Amino acid sequence: MAQMSQRLSGADTLLPAGLMSGAEMPMERGSLSLREQNIACAIVDAAQAEAICLGGARLVRMGVRVGADCAIDLEALEEALRVVRLGTDMEETVVHLMSSPRQNVCHDCGSNYLSARAEQSCPSCGSPESELVTGDELEISFIEVERP
């Protein structure tokens, strides 16, 4: 199993020659949001590029970590990933979406804590000074491949 972690930023994903861009992938009309469709295209593009780097391996399974601060509708993303993969070599790839909660570390006392919003003070010491540790990521956390 090949493991990787690749942060995605949408439209700036570079594709090796011969890969379909998200704009060329089949889309169904309906209630899918354009934002989640674009994110799904970037995920599929990045995974296909990694498969090429691994010698054309077939993608069997992959995990995508979505931070709570990304404000991405996981159900809409799951549906968009299903639609984007139709008719591609990733159609049968199992995709695991994982939500990552917002977690901060306090600058004053070093406590790690889950927070519902950015302005939340440290529950241990009350300090408003903290740093986001998790919750803003959108990344492919793993891929599993079958080599040809």
Side-chain angles (χ1 to χ4, degrees), residues 15 24 28 31 37 46 55 63 65 71 79 88 92 96-97 99-100 107 115 120 122 135 137 144:
L15 300 176
E24 298 165 338
E28 292 178 354
S31 62
Q37 286 180 17
R65 187 177 328 279
E79 179 62 12
T88 73
E92 300 299 319
H96 299 278
L97 293 179
S99 180
S100 179
H107 285 279
S115 60
Q120 188 169 336
C122 175
E137 63 274 10
E144 181 179 318

Side-chain angles (χ1 to χ4, degrees), residues 29-63:
R29 300 223 185 264
S31 62
L32 292 180
S33 85
L34 184 57
R35 181 168 184 257
E36 276 76 10
Q37 286 180 17
N38 287 334
I39 292 167
C41 288
I43 291 168
V44 168
D45 290 347
Q48 287 178 322
E50 184 64 19
I52 287 175
C53 289
L54 294 170
R58 186 177 76 82
L59 294 164
V60 177
R61 199 169 61 102
M62 66 186 285

Side-chain angles (χ1 to χ4, degrees), residues 7-24:
R7 292 185 75 81
L8 302 173
S9 57
D12 56 306
T13 302
L14 299 176
L15 300 176
L19 284 184
M20 294 186 345
S21 72
E24 298 165 338

Side-chain angles (χ1 to χ4, degrees), residues 97-119:
L97 293 179
M98 299 163 279
S99 180
S100 179
R102 174 182 244 293
Q103 183 176 2
N104 291 34
V105 62
C106 178
H107 285 279
D108 292 339
C109 73
S111 176
N112 283 314
Y113 60 96
L114 296 177
S115 60
R117 60 189 193 292
E119 314 80 42

Side-chain angles (χ1 to χ4, degrees), residues 54-103:
L54 294 170
R58 186 177 76 82
L59 294 164
V60 177
R61 199 169 61 102
M62 66 186 285
V64 178
R65 187 177 328 279
V66 180
D69 274 8
C70 291
I72 293 172
D73 180 334
L74 290 179
E75 287 182 15
L77 180 57
E78 183 174 34
E79 179 62 12
L81 281 164
R82 184 191 68 75
V83 171
V84 166
R85 292 181 297 126
L86 288 175
T88 73
D89 57 345
M90 286 185 62
E91 189 166 1
E92 300 299 319
T93 302
V94 176
V95 179
H96 299 278
L97 293 179
M98 299 163 279
S99 180
S100 179
R102 174 182 244 293
Q103 183 176 2

